[in-house]
Amino acid sequence: MVIVGGGASGLCLAQQLTATTTRSVTVVEPPDWPARPPERTWCFWEEGPSAYEGAISATWSRLRVHGADGSGLTVDPAPQRYRMLRSTQFEQLVHARLAAHPGARVLRATAGAVQDTADGAAVGCVAPDGRTLTLRARHVFDSRPLHALPPARTSLVQHFRGWFVRTATERFDPTVADLMDFRVPQPRHGLAFGYVLPLAPDRALIEYTEFSRVPLATTAYEAALGHYCREVLRLGAFTVEAAEQGAIPMTDARFPRRIGSAVFRIGTAGGATRPATGYTFAAAQRQSRAIAAALDAGRPLVPPPHGRRAMALDAVLLRALDTGRIDGPAFFTGLFSRIPTERLLRFLDGATTLREEWGIGLRTPIGPMLRTAVELPFLPRHFSPALRSAESAS
């Protein structure tokens, strides 16, 4: 089989498909820069040892949320831990595992059209030296970003810029990750927050993030980051060692997962990004395990990465945020203060029961959420431009 795209979703699937079988797998990755994306950061919570333990950059045993009023809440996500992966280390680890597998290979080439054939599918590719070649496989899994998003009733963007900073003195607690810090000026539409992942007492990844309709100019992110680091975090003297920037779709669009008799979409292109949070990496792992299990059972399919109830709840939340019916900072800080952390994280992963979700719903602004739920089925769906997903919060 062929996997088009060697990002988080493509390599997660390759790792899963080759972990316990002798399947033949070819991963088609674009040649070096400028075709390859810059280094990215993926975060997720997970219980027990990680399948990518050798590539984990940092872990945190506690999570913190700051309200707009300055109040702080620190919670323990046990038995789960929050983990960070950098794309370079992740790719190196998975590439090494694929190199040790007799049926796996990574092909550096620019993939073109994918077409069904009588016995599977064919992928047209162009090698770095200009040669054309055609890969044929029984199944093809395509993780490339879409040129246009499917029509949706609500289309927001989680967009951000982050600095890897080093401070002159020890300013961070490496055991605590700040998931949402709402002590930043809020935009007229949507919400904004800071995000702090300490890597050492004097090093951290600090991001400024917005949920809104359109991304900002880089200069606006830089100004917001400068204000956050100096006026809110009061870091004192610091240097910026690297930066990253990205945008992730937050939409209730329906992403087709099968686009041919033997061609499937995975990752963000296949709907793996959780609409209400932007997290993708954990869903990519679940989706990969489900695909491998389906193939083992003789069913070539890509199961949905999120359940129907989770998607319905996310659609209501996105619409409520977009219309301004709920206060974003108050909503998210309320979730962490009123709901046990372990249950909340399961909810965000779509692993809660209907009874648990009912209890969570009762702890949200009931009137605005019900009004939104009632109107949602009657709203038309519209097309919006696609974004090259960074999968950075995932």
Side-chain angles (χ1 to χ4, degrees):
M1 58 194 66
V2 171
I3 299 171
V4 181
S9 300
L11 289 182
C12 278
L13 180 57
Q15 151 80 18
Q16 189 65 39
L17 292 177
T18 58
T20 58
T21 70
T22 58
R23 288 188 182 97
S24 174
V25 176
T26 296
V27 180
V28 182
E29 294 188 353
D32 290 333
W33 185 261
R36 293 177 66 80
E39 188 169 20
R40 291 141 290 159
T41 301
W42 302 311
C43 290
F44 56 101
W45 41 80
E46 189 175 44
E47 181 178 349
S50 173
Y52 308 103
E53 202 66 43
I56 300 294
S57 299
T59 64
W60 298 274
S61 58
R62 293 182 294 163
L63 305 176
R64 184 164 54 205
V65 175
H66 285 280
D69 60 358
S71 60
L73 174 67
T74 302
V75 297
D76 182 352
Q80 305 204 59
R81 292 172 68 89
Y82 199 54
R83 293 183 164 110
M84 173 202 277
L85 269 177
R86 294 284 282 159
S87 59
T88 298
Q89 287 73 33
F90 170 74
E91 290 168 6
Q92 290 172 347
L93 177 66
V94 178
H95 284 179
R97 291 176 178 176
L98 295 179
H101 190 281
R105 66 167 174 159
V106 176
L107 174 66
R108 290 293 183 89
T110 301
V114 182
Q115 297 180 330
D116 281 320
T117 63
D119 56 354
V123 183
C125 300
V126 179
D129 61 5
R131 291 181 299 112
T132 60
L133 60 153
T134 301
L135 303 178
R136 300 183 184 277
R138 186 174 180 183
H139 305 111
V140 172
F141 299 92
D142 195 342
S143 68
R144 291 174 294 180
L146 300 176
H147 296 296
L149 295 175
R153 294 165 298 195
T154 308
S155 292
L156 299 178
V157 185
Q158 179 181 153
H159 51 98
F160 58 90
R161 183 172 175 84
W163 285 345
F164 287 86
V165 305
R166 185 182 294 273
T167 55
T169 59
E170 295 185 353
R171 305 292 298 174
F172 306 107
D173 180 352
T175 68
V176 182
D178 286 290
L179 285 189
M180 288 182 157
D181 186 345
F182 292 107
R183 296 175 297 171
V184 297
Q186 293 299 310
R188 293 181 62 187
H189 184 274
L191 61 89
F193 57 89
Y195 180 55
V196 183
L197 301 181
L199 307 176
D202 62 343
R203 294 177 53 244
L205 168 58
I206 301 177
E207 291 186 354
Y208 173 81
T209 301
E210 283 193 15
F211 294 179
S212 60
R213 293 177 182 173
V214 293
L216 305 177
T218 299
T219 53
Y221 293 118
E222 291 282 294
L225 274 167
H227 175 269
Y228 182 54
C229 290
R230 296 183 181 94
E231 305 301 324
V232 178
L233 298 179
R234 299 187 181 278
L235 296 183
F238 67 89
T239 57
V240 178
E241 299 182 324
E244 66 176 23
Q245 187 168 318
I248 302 170
M250 303 179 72
T251 171
D252 66 351
R254 297 167 179 163
F255 290 81
R257 299 184 304 279
R258 189 166 194 163
I259 54 175
S261 61
V263 184
F264 305 86
R265 286 199 180 113
I266 59 172
T268 295
T273 297
R274 183 72 191 261
T277 65
Y279 283 98
T280 305
F281 193 85
Q285 293 185 78
R286 290 195 303 272
Q287 190 178 57
S288 297
R289 291 192 292 267
I291 292 171
L295 290 172
D296 287 341
R299 303 190 308 273
L301 54 83
V302 175
H306 305 289
R308 291 184 179 179
R309 291 202 311 272
M311 299 303 288
L313 292 169
D314 281 8
V316 173
L317 174 57
L318 288 179
R319 175 68 179 175
L321 285 172
D322 191 39
T323 57
R325 289 180 186 145
I326 62 173
D327 179 282
F331 178 86
F332 284 104
T333 54
L335 288 181
F336 279 91
S337 64
R338 298 169 189 152
I339 301 168
T341 306
E342 184 272 339
R343 186 184 307 165
L344 177 59
L345 296 186
R346 284 193 293 107
F347 172 70
L348 296 177
D349 269 343
T352 42
T353 65
L354 179 60
R355 182 176 181 178
E356 288 174 324
E357 290 161 9
W358 178 257
I360 292 171
L362 293 176
R363 289 166 174 80
T364 64
I366 296 176
M369 298 294 276
L370 281 177
R371 176 185 172 188
T372 303
V374 169
E375 76 171 7
L376 205 57
F378 304 98
L379 297 176
R381 293 179 179 269
H382 302 283
F383 284 97
S384 60
L387 294 166
R388 292 191 65 84
S389 171
E391 292 188 355
S392 187
S394 51

